[in-house]
Structure formats: C-alpha cells, structure tokens
Amino acid sequence: MKHSLLLLSLGSMILLLTLIIPVTADPTISSISPDVGYRGDTVTMTITGSGFDLPTSNPYKYVRLMMEDQSNITSSSISSKSSTKIVAKFVIRSSKEKGDWSVVVVNSDGSEDVSSDAFTISDEMAISSISPTYAKTNTDDVSFTLTGSGLSDVQEVYLYKSGYDNLTTTDISTSSASVTGTFDLTDIDEVTYKVCVMDSLDVRKCVSSVT
C-alpha cells in the first residue's frame, strides 16, 4: 500500500512538471513591407507574424535576406521587436544580385521561418519626362519618349487609369536614360492616364499623367 502511494505521488509530480514547462512557438512570417528594395539603398522592413523571439544580444544578426549561391544580407539594426512584429534595417549594396530574396527570422532557440522569394532587389527606375504629353484617340501609331534613369531593364510601358483597362506596349527600345516606343490608341477611352513602366522582375514605376 505504501508503494502505491509513492508511485501515485511521483506520477503527480511528473505531471505537474510537464504542465509548467513553457512551450515556445516557432516563428511564422505572415507579411513583409516593403517587398521591393533597390541596390545602393537602405531599406527599413516591417516583418509581421507570430512566435518571434529574437535573442536579446545582437538581435539584428538573426534577421536576414537569403538567395541561393549568394552571400546573405544580414540586417544592420533592429529598431523594434515583439512576438508579432520586427522592424529591421537592411543595407543593400550596389554589388548585390538582382532578383527575389527570401526573408529569414531565427529565434533564440534556433527555430526559424523562411518566407521564400518574398523580397525583390532591383535597380531603381525614375521617369523625369514623357513626350508627347497628350495624343488623339483612334490613332494607331503614336510614338513616345520617356526620359529618366535606371530604365535599361524596362520590358513594357503601359497607360494606367483606375477602373479602365491598361494600354500596354512592348514595342520599345531602351537605354539607361530613355525608353522609346509606340502606342496603338485605337478605341481607347478619352481620359487622363498615368504612365507606368515594368522591368523584368515585375517591379513597376508610375508617374504623372498624360491625356
């Protein structure tokens, strides 16, 4: 009878110890903002999710960008951190590879989450002018010239107006400082549009309006 009571008591202690051991959730990344950065710039990224538990010592070392066959980009500082949000700063050097990079968060216990291909590094595109700034509808061959910088990788140019279909052209010639091409304005609505460009990584830049 004494043996039975001892076994019961030990069993209760084991159960109690099991219940009070804290369980740490693995990190889960649900979103990042922004999701595009440019070579030569510094980006402040907000990572939201759950189960974040960065180490207290040098936490910036545990948030990084990763691409196959490339050296990691480790965050340079962490300005804010909680179990659901991390604000990290990344310095993107001009020599870094363009393309889609994965975002990695590593907890203090070594568990990690990888948000694959979540962040795109590209060259910044800027449009300073477009000529002409207006054209007549139902004209099938309207030539245009965009000037700016970082335009050598532009793959298409389109006119954008909320609530209307985009008018897109890939009939273009590019250089780092300009894009030339033609639009077919047959049956296009007579409204004011924004001029947008898109590069090979689907990064887009829209500026001022044309009519």
Side-chain angles (χ1 to χ4, degrees), residues 17-80:
L17 289 173
T18 302
L19 291 175
I20 64 174
I21 294 174
V23 177
T24 303
D26 290 340
T28 299
I29 300 170
S30 58
S31 67
I32 66 166
S33 180
D35 59 4
V36 174
Y38 303 109
R39 297 197 292 187
D41 279 356
T42 297
V43 175
T44 299
M45 179 188 295
T46 299
I47 306 169
T48 56
S50 61
F52 298 146
D53 181 29
L54 297 180
T56 54
S57 178
N58 299 323
Y60 65 90
K61 294 182 178 180
Y62 298 87
V63 182
R64 59 183 72 108
L65 305 177
M66 181 175 64
M67 176 189 271
E68 187 175 358
D69 297 327
Q70 300 295 318
S71 58
N72 293 341
I73 304 174
T74 301
S75 66
S76 58
S77 64
I78 302 291
S79 60
S80 176

Side-chain angles (χ1 to χ4, degrees), residues 138-179:
N138 294 313
T139 305
D140 62 5
D141 190 17
V142 176
S143 298
F144 66 86
T145 300
L146 300 174
T147 58
S149 59
L151 302 175
S152 58
D153 191 35
V154 170
Q155 302 296 304
E156 67 178 51
V157 181
Y158 61 96
L159 303 181
Y160 168 79
K161 173 72 173 179
S162 179
Y164 292 80
D165 292 335
N166 291 346
L167 177 65
T168 301
T169 180
T170 55
D171 180 18
I172 58 175
S173 298
T174 65
S175 70
S176 61
S178 68
V179 179

Side-chain angles (χ1 to χ4, degrees), residues 53-129:
D53 181 29
L54 297 180
T56 54
S57 178
N58 299 323
Y60 65 90
K61 294 182 178 180
Y62 298 87
V63 182
R64 59 183 72 108
L65 305 177
M66 181 175 64
M67 176 189 271
E68 187 175 358
D69 297 327
Q70 300 295 318
S71 58
N72 293 341
I73 304 174
T74 301
S75 66
S76 58
S77 64
I78 302 291
S79 60
S80 176
K81 64 184 179 74
S82 70
S83 62
T84 58
K85 185 171 75 172
I86 299 169
V87 180
K89 183 176 289 186
F90 291 93
V91 177
I92 304 174
R93 303 191 184 281
S94 300
S95 59
K96 287 301 180 181
E97 187 73 15
K98 294 197 300 181
D100 294 330
W101 291 67
S102 298
V103 179
V104 184
V105 173
V106 183
N107 274 359
S108 56
D109 64 358
S111 61
E112 66 177 42
D113 190 33
V114 179
S115 184
S116 299
D117 299 336
F119 185 75
T120 301
I121 292 178
S122 183
D123 289 325
E124 186 170 14
M125 298 180 289
I127 301 173
S128 56
S129 68

